[in-house]
Amino acid sequence: MNKPIRVLAIGCLALFVALLLNANYLQFVEADSLNAQNGNRRVMDEEFSRDRGAILVGGKAIAESVPSGDEFEYQRRYPEGRLWANLTGYYSYIYGRSALERSQNGILSGSDNRLFVNRVVDLIGSRAPQGGSVSLTLDRAAQEAATEGLERLGDDAKGAVVALDPETGAVLAMAGQPTYDPNRLASHDLPATTEAWERLQANENDPMINRATQQILPPGSTFKLVTAAAAMTNLNLNPDSEVQAGSSLSFPGISYRLVNEGGGNCGGDRISLERALAVSCNVTFGSLAGQVGQEALAEQARKFGFGQDYLEGLPANASQFTSSPGTDLEAPQLAQSGIGQYEVSATPLQMAMVTSAIANGGDLMRPYVVSTVRAPDLSVLDSTQPDRIGEAVSSDVAAGLQQMMVETVRDGTAGSAAISGATVGGKTGTAQSTSDRPPYAWFTSFATSGDRQVAVAVVVESTDTARPEISGGRLAGPIARSVMQAVLDR
Amino acid sequence: MSTPAGQAAVPAYTPRKRRNAELLLIVLAVVISIGAYCAVGIGVSGEVPSFAYRLGGAIVVVALVTHLLVRRFAPYADPVLLPIVITLNGLGLAMIYRIDLARLDKSGPDANTFASQQLIWTALGIVGFVAVLLVVRDHRRLQSMTYTFGLVALVLLVLPLLPVIGQNINGARIWIRLGPMGLQPGEFAKIALAIFFAGYLVVKRDALALAGRRILGVDLPRGRDLGPILAAWLVSLGVLVFQRDLGSSLLFFGLFVVLLYVATERPGWLVVGGALFLGGAYFAFLTFGHVQVRVNGWLDPFADRDRNFQIIQGLYGMAHGGLLGRGLGQGSPDITPYSYSDFIAASMGEELGLAGLMAILLMYGLIVERGLRIALICRDGFGKLLAAGLAVSIALQVFVVVGGVTRLIPLTGLTTPFLSYGGSSILANWAIVALLLRISDQSRRPAPAVVQLDEEDATQVVKLR
C-alpha cells in the first residue's frame, strides 16, 4: 500500500502548492486591482483616516483635511465649495472621488510612488502617512469674476467660462453653473450624504458635470475663426481680401439656401474678410468652407485641438468637427459646418484654446491646471512645464486673425468686450440646436495689456430671456470682459 | 499484493522518541500563541490585554501537561504534530479574540463574542485528545469495531435531519442542538467514516483489486465491484441533497475514493471516483440554486456584489493585507461575514499577510505530510489506511475551505481545522491528532523481537501494549 500513499503525498503536495500559488496571486499580483475596486471599505476607511493633502490656489486651500474627532479622524473641507467644485471634485466615503480629488489621489493620499521615501520614514517613525499638496494654476480673481458673471444671469441659466494664459496654456479660470457644494458629499453624516447625492443626481441640470470641459455644444459663429484660419492658410487670403457676401448662399440642384442671422446682406455682395468676421457673415464663411474643402477645414480644426482631449487631471470630452471621422459632408452640410453648426461641437475649453492659439502667435499650448506638486515636507516633487502641442496657424495668419478679432470688438458684434487701455479681440456666436430650445450664446476673446495676456471662452446654454435677445455679444460678452479685466488687473 | 493484510511493507526505519524535540517545538508554539494574543491587544488598544498573564499561564500549563501525557503514554509518537496543532489552535484563538474586540467596539457590550467559548472548546478538545490517547491504547482494536463505527457514522449523519434536535442554520441542515450546546455531528462522522472505510477496505481490498477492462493504460474495476463506491457516492449525494452541505459531501466521497485507491493500489478507482464526482457535481449544479450561486460567485464575484458580499470582502481583506499584513488588530477582518469561522483564513491573510497565510498553509502541509509518513511506516494495513485517511481528510478540508475563500475553487462551507470557531470542529480535530499520534507511536517504536518457534505452532507475535 506504500506506492499509493506516496502518490497521495504528491497529490496533497499539488493541492498545497496550488493554494500557495493562488495566495501569492491574490495577495501580490491581484492586490492592487482589488484595492482599487470601487466600494472597497478597507481602503476607503484607511484613506479616510489619513491626513490628506490640500489643493491650493494662490497659496490658499480650496480643499483641505481638518481633524474631525470622530472615527475617521479627518474631515475633508472645501472652504469655497461651490466656487471650485469643477476643479476639486468631491471626496466622499460612499461615492468615491472625482475631478482632482480623483486624478491627484496618489499625491493627496500619500500613496504615490514619488512619496515612497516619505512612507518608509513614516513607517519607521510609526507616524500616520501624510499626503502631499497640489497647487493649481488658477487665478482667484478671474474665477470669482467668472462665477459672479454666470450667477448674474439668474438661477435658470446654465453656462461655463474658461480662461487660459495663451503663452503657457495654464488654466486661469474654469467655472460652471449650476454648480454644487462638495462639502455635502464629503460629510461623515452618511445618510445626509446619500440624500445630497440623490438630490444632485435627480437634478436635470446636472450640477456635477464640468460644463467647461465635458459639455460639447455647437460653437456657432465662434467657429468662424477656425474657418477663417483655414481660408487664410489654404486660399492665401488676408484681412483685406474681398470675399463673397450677400443675403444668401445657394447650392446647385438643391432648394436649401444658407442665410444670415437676422436676414441681412452683410453690407454688400463683396466685402473684406475682416468686415465679414466683424458682422459675422454666414454667407461668407459658408462659401469659404466650400472653397477650402472638408479635408482642409477638418485639419485646421484638428490643429486647434478638435478631436482630442488635451487636458490632464479633469474629466473632459474631445470636441468634434464631424460626429464620426469618416463622414463625407454634402455641400450644404459643409457650409453649415463652416459656421459652427451641423455636427460641429466644442467645449468652452476648446474655444478658449482656439483663441489662445491665435493670441499666442499661432502656437497651441497644452492646457493644464496643476502647477506644482509638493511632498508633505513642502519639497517640490513635480512642476508642470508649458508644453507646445503644435503650430495651429502660421504667425502671419495669427496676426491677421488677431487684427480681425480686434476689429470685431472695435466696430462689430463683440463690442461688449472692450477694455480701455488693453488690446481686446473677440468673436460672438449664437448656435441653434433645435428650434424649440433657446440657442446657445457663445463668446470668445483675448486681451493683451503690457506683458499680460489672457484668452477666454464663455457659453451660456439657456436662459428664460426671449429668443431674439440671446446673442453672444449681449449675454456672454460682459462675462468675458470682467474675467479678462480680472486677469489684467492682477 | 505481495504482503498479507495483517503485515504491510515498511521502509527501513530507526526508532527514536524525539520527545525533547517536541518539547522545544511546544515552547515555540506557546510563545507564538501568547505573542499573538498580546499583539492583538497592542494592535487594538495599544496595551497588552490584562488577562494575558493568566491566559498565558494556563496555556503553558496545558501544553506542558499534554506533552507529559504524550511522553508517558505515547513515547514514540510523532514529535511535530502536537506543536503545530497547538500553534494553529493558539493563532485561531487570538484571531477570534481580535474579531470579538472589533464586534464589541462596533455593537457595544451586547455583541456576540466567541473567544471565551472557543477557549472552553479548546480545553475540552485537549481533554478529548488525552482521553482518546488513554482509551485507544492500540489502534488495531478499532478494527474489530469496523461496522459499529459505520453505524455510528450513519447515525451521526442522520441526526441533523431528525426533527426537534436538528437545526437549519444558514440554509444547511448540519447542526443538532442538545440543551445549550450546538454540535455539528458531521465533524465526528468524518472520524467514524475514516475508521469504517479503513476497516472495511483492509478486508475487502483483494476482491476490489481485481481488474476488469483496461482502457488507456488504466485497469478499471469490474462492474460488480462497483457496489461500495456507488453506495458511498449515494450517501455523499444524500448529504448534499438533504443537508445542503457541499463541503462535507465532497470530503466524504473524496475520502472513500482515496482510501479505495490506497487499499487496492488500482488507479482505476480514481478514474471511476473522478467520473462519479464530476457527474454528481454537474447534477448538483443543474439541480440546486445554492450550488449555482456558489459557482457563479467563483467565476465572477463582481457580477453580483450583494450576493457575493462575503467572498468579495474576503478577497478585499487579503488584498489589503498584502505581503506582510496589516498586523494583528490593525486590519478590518470583521467586515467579512463569518470572519471568525469559515473565513478565518481570509482574516489571517489580512492581518498576517501573504507571509502569515503561507506559514499557516505550510503548517497544514506539514500535518498532512507527517500523517502520510505515519501511514508509510505503519506496520499494519488498517493503521496505514486509517492514518492515510485522516491525513487526506485534513488535506481535502484545508484545500476545499482555503481554496474556496481564496477563489481557487467555488466556495463551500467547511471549517478550517483548529483555526475556525466551532466546538465540534475543535473536538473532532483534536481527536484526529490523538489517533494519528497513537498510530505513530505504534509504528515508530522498535519492532517486537520475533521468537523463533517450532514449525507447527509458528504464528506471529504482536505486542499489544
Side-chain angles (χ1 to χ4, degrees), chain A residues 1-10 12 14-16 18-20 22-28 30-32 34-35 37-43 45-46, chain B residues 9 205 258 261-262 265 302 305 313 315-320 322-323 326 332 336 349-350 354 357-358 361 364-365 372 376 381 384 392 395 399 403 406 408:
Chain A
M1 283 189 271
N2 284 340
K3 185 168 165 273
I5 292 176
R6 290 200 165 98
V7 173
L8 224 52
I10 293 169
C12 289
L15 292 187
F16 278 96
L19 285 180
L20 290 169
N22 188 52
N24 276 275
Y25 174 71
L26 185 64
Q27 298 198 263
F28 183 65
E30 213 188 1
D32 285 342
L34 284 170
N35 284 335
Q37 283 270 355
N38 259 342
N40 187 334
R41 261 189 64 194
R42 288 175 172 86
V43 176
D45 282 354
E46 199 208 351
Chain B
R205 62 195 189 118
V258 162
Y261 164 59
V262 175
E265 302 199 356
F302 296 103
R305 285 166 187 258
Q313 289 306 323
L315 295 177
Y316 281 171
M318 285 182 278
H320 202 221
L323 295 183
R326 313 307 299 177
S332 325
T336 315
E350 178 171 358
L354 178 61
L357 186 61
M358 297 221 314
L361 286 174
Y364 282 121
L372 290 174
L376 269 185
K384 267 186 191 305
V392 167
F399 180 75
T406 56
L408 181 62

Side-chain angles (χ1 to χ4, degrees), chain B residues 168-173 243-244:
Chain B
N168 220 336
I169 295 179
N170 294 325
R173 200 172 172 90
Q243 308 193 336
R244 296 167 74 90

Side-chain angles (χ1 to χ4, degrees), chain B residues 140-221:
Chain B
R140 280 167 295 188
R141 288 188 171 178
L142 295 173
Q143 194 183 346
S144 62
M145 292 184 278
T146 298
Y147 287 90
T148 315
F149 277 105
L151 188 66
V152 167
L154 208 59
V155 170
L156 286 172
L157 284 179
V158 172
L159 270 182
L161 299 176
L162 297 179
V164 186
I165 53 168
Q167 297 254 313
N168 220 336
I169 295 179
N170 294 325
R173 200 172 172 90
I174 52 174
W175 290 82
I176 58 164
R177 181 148 290 280
L178 294 173
M181 278 198 317
L183 283 177
Q184 278 179 292
E187 293 281 350
F188 302 102
K190 188 170 64 183
I191 307 175
L193 278 177
I195 297 173
F196 169 64
F197 289 161
Y200 169 81
L201 290 171
V202 82
V203 176
K204 300 282 175 165
R205 62 195 189 118
D206 289 335
L208 293 171
L210 289 176
R213 212 170 297 151
R214 187 178 173 86
I215 296 171
L216 292 174
V218 177
D219 291 317
L220 290 178

Side-chain angles (χ1 to χ4, degrees), chain A residues 305-335:
Chain A
F306 278 73
Q308 206 175 327
D309 164 24
Y310 286 105
L311 182 67
E312 277 177 19
L314 290 175
N317 287 317
S319 304
Q320 60 184 35
F321 178 67
T322 50
S323 56
S324 58
T327 318
D328 229 347
L329 298 175
E330 306 284 330
Q333 296 166 348
L334 179 56

